[in-house]
Every structure is written in C-alpha cells, then in structure tokens.
C-alpha cells in the first residue's frame, strides 16, 4: 500500500486503476478473479474496493521490456484485450520464473571456455614473440 492508501506492487507501481485501501482495514483479500476486498473486523463481511484487471496481447513476444518486470505494448504486440471472466490471480504466491536457467548456464560455460581458449592462445603467441626476440641474441 502506498502513502495515499493506493494498492501497489513491490516496485511501487500502482496496481490497476488505483484501488484505494481504507486506513482502518485490518485485512486485504484479493480473489482469484482480481476483486479486492478489505475487512475492518474479523470475522466480518468484506467491503469491495475494486478489481485488478487482467489483460492479454495478441502477440506477447512483441512486448518491449522496459525493466523491473515491466513491459510496454508495441506495434508488434497488438492492442491489449481485457479478460473479464478468469481465476488467474493468486494472493501470496510468487510467479514462476520465465528464465531457462539451463540455457543461461550453458551460455556462461561457452563464454568461459572461449575465454580460456583465448587466454591460452595469447600465452602461446607471447611465448613465440619471446623466442623470436631471443633468436637475435
């Protein structure tokens, strides 16, 4: 929650259209469909505060990454479409990483092998120069 009582994510970005959480709330519940309810007492009935929208793009690969897990639509991604009937939002859950760790480790190993080969080649060339200089003596 931001300083104005607006629901925010961990990067301090406003969630949705600015869902306000009352200061007297003791619990915030986010349903699977994105509906946000606050509770002033437990047990008690929750008050509806708003809905977190979920959108999809025709071509998600066309989105442009702008950092901090933020994406921006482009001409290639197409326009966003609001998903009205879903159950995809999970409170207190972490999203699975979309990074393939094995391909990154393989890439790092290739770079490391290339660096070792380059270092060995430079050492051999250095020895050849040293021998060439010593031949004159």
């Amino acid at each position: 929650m931001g300083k104005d009582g607006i629901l925010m994510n961990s990067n301090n970005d406003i969630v949705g259209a600015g869902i306000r959480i009352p200061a007297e709330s003791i619990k915030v519940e986010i349903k699977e469909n994105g509906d946000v309810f606050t509770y002033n007492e437990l047990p008690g009935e929750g008050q509806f505060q708003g809905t977190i929208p979920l959108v999809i793009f025709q071509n998600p690969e066309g989105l442009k990454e702008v950092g901090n897990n933020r994406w921006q639509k482009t001409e290639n991604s197409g326009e966003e479409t609001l998903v009205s009937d879903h159950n995809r939002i999970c409170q207190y859950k972490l999203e699975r990483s979309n990074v393939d760790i094995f391909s990154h480790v393989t890439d790092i190993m290739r770079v490391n092998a290339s660096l070792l080969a380059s270092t060995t080649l430079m050492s051999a060339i250095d020895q050849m120069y040293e021998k060439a200089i010593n031949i004159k003596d």
Side-chain angles (χ1 to χ4, degrees), residues 7 27-32 35-37 39 52 88-94:
L7 186 63
K27 179 181 176 185
V28 176
E29 181 181 21
I30 301 173
K31 304 282 187 178
E32 290 179 337
D35 289 346
V36 178
F37 290 88
Y39 296 84
I52 299 171
R88 298 181 186 176
I89 296 179
C90 298
Q91 186 175 11
Y92 303 118
K93 303 288 183 194
L94 289 176

Side-chain angles (χ1 to χ4, degrees), residues 45-137:
E45 191 167 322
Q47 292 88 33
F48 176 77
Q49 301 300 330
T51 301
I52 299 171
L54 177 67
V55 296
I56 58 173
F57 290 86
Q58 293 172 347
N59 179 23
E61 289 80 23
L63 292 169
K64 177 183 174 187
E65 186 175 5
V66 292
N68 290 331
N69 203 22
R70 293 183 191 165
W71 299 84
Q72 187 176 46
K73 72 178 177 181
T74 64
E75 224 175 80
N76 293 334
S77 67
E79 291 298 317
E80 68 269 11
T81 304
L82 182 66
V83 179
S84 58
D85 189 26
H86 67 86
N87 60 350
R88 298 181 186 176
I89 296 179
C90 298
Q91 186 175 11
Y92 303 118
K93 303 288 183 194
L94 289 176
E95 187 174 330
R96 182 181 47 179
S97 174
N98 58 358
V99 174
D100 180 11
I101 189 72
F102 298 109
S103 69
H104 286 288
V105 169
T106 303
D107 291 344
I108 290 172
M109 290 174 69
R110 274 195 204 126
V111 168
N112 189 36
S114 177
L115 180 64
L116 288 173
S118 297
T119 304
T120 304
L121 178 63
M122 292 301 289
S123 178
I125 291 172
D126 188 45
Q127 288 175 2
M128 287 173 36
Y129 280 139
E130 197 172 302
K131 286 182 183 177
I133 291 170
N134 289 337
I135 288 177
K136 189 177 179 182
D137 292 337

Side-chain angles (χ1 to χ4, degrees), residues 1 4-7 19-25 28 36 38 49:
M1 196 167 62
D4 297 331
I6 302 292
L7 186 63
I19 299 170
R20 190 169 301 280
I21 307 298
E24 63 273 3
S25 300
V28 176
V36 178
T38 58
Q49 301 300 330

